[in-house]
Amino acid sequence: MRFKSIQLSITVLAGACLFVAVGIMTLFGLYSAERNQTFVQEHSEPLVTRLIENRLTSIASSEAERIRRRLEYPLTVASQLAQLNQMLGELEGDGSPSLMMPREEMSRVTQRMLQHNPDLLGLYVAWEPNSLDEMDEYYQGVTTDGYDGTGRFMPWWYRAADGSLAVEALEDLENETVLETGVRAGEYYLCARETKQSCVIDPAPYEVGDSKVLLSSFVAPILVEGEFMGAVGADLSLDFIQSLLRESNAHLYQGQGRQALVSGNGRLVGYTGTEAKPGDTESKILTAQQVDALQRLGTEMTYKVDQASGLIELMMPIRISGTTTRWALIMTLPLEAVMGELHAMNAELDEHQISSTLTMAGIGLAVAVLGLLVMAMVGLSLARPARQLAVMLEDISRGEGDLTRRLQVDRADELGAIASGFNAFLDKLQGMIREVVGSVQQVTDASEHTADIAIRTNEGVQRQLNEIDLVATAVTEMTATAQDVARNASLAAEAASNADGSANHGREVVKATAQTIQSLAGDIQRAVGSVQTLARDSENITGILDTIRGIAEQTNL
């Protein structure tokens, strides 16, 4: 591409390079940002997944620990009361009981302990027949104050509907009938007697006063020298479990998940969903695979992300110290809710990427336009002295140049050097033209003198030509006369041989003279041509001198 202007060429070429450079940098910046965003997304998802797993594990552990403490609390109360009853059956070295306390006093102690532990719904003590002070016969027929007429000590203190404490005799202590809940009717006593260990009875609905409550009994055995003498149990209403689960679930991803506490017999102790209620079987909310996983649950938590169903399933075992009981806390959360923060972050990153792209493109365009303007100004600053130089050269080429003018030198770069060089060239050219004008004047004078000489020479040559013509005519006449003489001599040869020799000699002399005259005539003719050429050259020199004189006058020299 050929440009007619340095400014245009600099602007176009530099601008194109600038646009290409800015475009490449912008594209690279966008590519780099895209790679960074992809890297962040690829590495943030596993990181967020691990953080979510750790967070859910921590929440589940904390919730399980809180439930475990609440469940161990009634067992602690039962254990303390069992130790107190154990002292009633132990004997000192002298054969006297370690603790002397009548049955009525023990019943009042049970009542006070229930009164001072408002979270408990009931507290009971049950001795084996005739094991406590061997006075069952004395209480036979009594059906009040926690007796059933057999005289066996088995008071059960509980909270009535109005909040007051009431006492009744325990029922079904020896009943091994399995109820619909999967628990034996006398499990709250039989478990401790059979295992001689503390037991947590799986929850089941029981009649307490005039209402049915989901209860779980926490039983501690009364052991005297390793022999089972009875059991102490604390009844705990599990309604608080439902409240705990709902509170925890509400604070976990805005309650979008589900939480459940499943007892060892597969009953729901608490559930935050609407598909089932506490006391229902686990199969109402769990699939067969989940039930199988729950049955195989050991002492460690399980965490599973089910992409097919879009759920996160967490099972946390809850073991109560001193017992073999194992309940399980189950958390189910939708992936969309759990990963919502990640998706929101990715969406925010996408928006930020688009904003950054537009900003970078705008900045790149602004830089390119600004750079183009700068290049145009640079091109203009470079083209201005070049234009001045071109104008001056054009004036000189047209014969209208003023050699007294000079370019302004106000730059220290190459253009300033060009302007300085051009001014130096004009200085030398001006001196040379002055010398040429002087030489032309001298040549003009010499030419005029030469012209005068040529004119005079021409006139002399003309005269010589005329004279040569006369000589030639005379020679011709002499030749004719010589020929006549020769003829006459030839006729007189016979008469005078001396005259014949003289005549022959004269004829040769005449011929030589004639030839000499003819050669002279040719030389004179050539001299005339040379003089005429010289005259013409003189006229040409005069024209050249006139032209140079005109140029000198026009250039003010």
Side-chain angles (χ1 to χ4, degrees):
M1 184 181 294
R2 304 177 67 180
F3 298 97
K4 296 183 179 180
S5 170
I6 295 177
Q7 179 183 0
L8 181 60
S9 63
I10 292 175
T11 302
V12 172
L13 296 178
C17 293
L18 182 61
F19 269 100
V20 170
V22 171
I24 291 175
M25 293 301 296
T26 303
L27 292 177
F28 177 77
L30 297 178
Y31 172 71
S32 178
E34 182 67 23
R35 286 190 60 188
N36 291 337
Q37 181 177 353
T38 303
F39 178 83
V40 169
Q41 290 178 345
E42 289 177 352
H43 289 75
S44 63
E45 185 167 353
L47 179 61
V48 171
T49 301
R50 288 194 298 271
L51 291 175
I52 290 174
E53 180 178 352
N54 294 336
R55 179 188 179 191
L56 293 180
T57 301
S58 176
I59 292 174
S61 299
S62 176
E63 191 66 19
E65 180 63 21
R66 185 165 65 154
I67 293 174
R68 187 184 64 81
R69 287 198 303 268
R70 292 290 297 271
L71 295 179
E72 288 182 350
Y73 159 69
L75 186 59
T76 300
V77 174
S79 298
Q80 292 174 352
L81 186 57
Q83 291 176 0
L84 185 62
N85 279 270
Q86 180 180 334
M87 294 175 66
L88 295 178
E90 292 178 344
L91 299 176
E92 297 294 335
D94 58 0
S96 61
S98 298
L99 178 65
M100 297 291 293
M101 180 183 293
R103 295 186 175 191
E104 292 76 13
E105 186 61 27
M106 177 58 68
S107 179
R108 283 194 293 272
V109 169
T110 304
Q111 177 187 12
R112 292 193 188 96
M113 290 188 71
L114 178 62
Q115 185 176 5
H116 288 87
N117 292 277
D119 292 335
L120 298 180
L121 189 61
L123 189 61
Y124 62 88
V125 177
W127 281 76
E128 287 285 278
N130 209 32
S131 295
L132 178 63
D133 61 24
E134 298 180 355
M135 296 180 63
D136 287 356
E137 295 180 0
Y138 179 76
Y139 292 97
Q140 287 182 357
V142 179
T143 58
T144 60
D145 300 327
Y147 292 95
D148 64 349
T150 62
R152 185 177 180 180
F153 185 67
M154 49 182 183
W156 172 45
W157 286 91
Y158 65 92
R159 299 183 188 277
D162 58 0
S164 61
L165 301 183
V167 62
E168 292 182 4
L170 293 172
E171 298 177 355
D172 301 325
L173 284 180
E174 312 289 339
N175 191 351
E176 297 187 7
T177 303
V178 178
L179 304 177
E180 294 180 357
T181 60
V183 179
R184 291 179 296 181
E187 188 71 24
Y188 62 92
Y189 182 78
L190 296 175
C191 176
R193 187 174 69 176
E194 294 170 356
T195 63
K196 296 182 180 181
Q197 294 180 354
S198 298
C199 296
V200 177
I201 309 305
D202 289 324
Y206 290 96
E207 293 290 340
V208 179
D210 297 332
S211 61
K212 183 174 288 189
V213 181
L214 185 65
L215 292 179
S216 182
S217 297
F218 297 80
V219 186
I222 303 173
L223 300 177
V224 178
E225 297 180 357
E227 182 180 356
F228 179 79
M229 303 300 290
V232 176
D235 297 331
L236 181 67
S237 172
L238 300 180
D239 291 342
F240 78 94
I241 298 290
Q242 187 75 0
S243 301
L244 287 179
L245 295 182
R246 285 177 178 173
E247 178 184 355
S248 174
N249 190 66
H251 290 86
L252 187 61
Y253 298 105
Q254 293 79 41
Q256 299 183 56
R258 296 289 184 269
Q259 293 188 24
L261 183 64
V262 181
S263 65
N265 65 344
R267 293 282 173 172
L268 295 179
V269 181
Y271 180 60
T272 60
T274 58
E275 301 89 343
K277 63 181 183 299
D280 291 340
T281 60
E282 60 190 10
S283 60
K284 282 194 174 184
I285 62 170
L286 300 179
T287 63
Q289 293 82 0
Q290 290 173 325
V291 171
D292 181 64
L294 183 61
Q295 292 175 352
R296 291 185 286 104
L297 182 64
T299 59
E300 299 296 330
M301 175 205 73
T302 62
Y303 182 89
K304 178 183 177 182
V305 178
D306 190 350
Q307 298 288 350
S309 61
L311 295 174
I312 295 177
E313 299 173 357
L314 184 148
M315 295 183 180
M316 175 70 70
I318 300 177
R319 291 192 176 274
I320 301 174
S321 301
T323 70
T324 59
T325 302
R326 189 213 65 190
W327 290 4
L329 175 64
I330 300 175
M331 289 185 177
T332 304
L333 294 165
L335 269 175
E336 185 64 28
V338 175
M339 296 297 181
E341 296 179 357
L342 177 61
H343 296 161
M345 184 184 70
N346 290 337
E348 187 175 351
L349 284 176
D350 292 337
E351 293 178 1
H352 181 70
Q353 174 67 16
I354 294 174
S355 176
S356 298
T357 300
L358 296 177
T359 303
M360 189 174 297
I363 293 175
L365 181 61
V367 169
V369 172
L370 181 60
L372 189 61
L373 293 177
V374 172
M375 289 299 103
M377 294 178 64
V378 171
L380 178 62
S381 65
L382 295 176
R384 185 182 296 111
R387 288 198 187 100
Q388 294 176 357
L389 180 60
V391 170
M392 293 188 68
L393 290 176
E394 186 176 1
D395 291 342
I396 292 174
S397 66
R398 291 178 180 176
E400 299 176 359
D402 185 1
L403 297 181
T404 61
R405 294 177 56 190
R406 296 293 184 270
L407 291 176
Q408 183 178 358
V409 181
D410 54 359
R411 304 172 64 99
D413 54 7
E414 289 81 358
L415 290 175
I418 292 174
S420 299
F422 183 73
N423 291 338
F425 167 72
L426 288 181
D427 292 338
K428 293 183 179 180
L429 181 62
Q430 189 175 13
M432 290 175 61
I433 291 179
R434 286 196 185 98
E435 293 177 359
V436 169
V437 170
S439 299
V440 166
Q441 186 63 40
Q442 294 176 2
V443 172
T444 300
D445 295 341
S447 297
E448 291 177 353
H449 180 66
T450 303
D452 293 338
I453 294 173
I455 292 172
R456 289 195 298 271
T457 303
N458 188 31
E459 291 176 352
V461 169
Q462 291 296 330
R463 287 193 301 270
Q464 289 178 1
L465 288 175
N466 292 332
E467 292 175 355
I468 290 170
D469 288 339
L470 293 175
V471 171
T473 301
V475 170
T476 302
E477 291 176 353
M478 288 175 67
T479 301
T481 303
Q483 289 177 353
D484 291 340
V485 171
R487 284 191 302 269
N488 291 330
S490 180
L491 293 174
E494 296 175 359
S497 57
N498 292 333
D500 181 57
S502 298
N504 287 332
H505 183 271
R507 186 179 60 189
E508 292 297 329
V509 171
V510 171
K511 284 183 180 180
T513 303
Q515 291 175 355
T516 301
I517 293 171
Q518 288 179 354
S519 177
L520 180 61
D523 292 338
I524 292 172
Q525 186 66 34
R526 284 191 297 273
V528 170
S530 297
V531 170
Q532 289 177 350
T533 300
L534 180 60
R536 286 194 299 272
D537 291 340
S538 298
E539 292 176 357
N540 290 334
I541 291 172
T542 303
I544 291 172
L545 293 174
D546 292 339
T547 300
I548 293 174
R549 185 182 295 107
I551 292 173
E553 291 174 354
Q554 292 175 359
T555 56
N556 298 327
L557 293 175

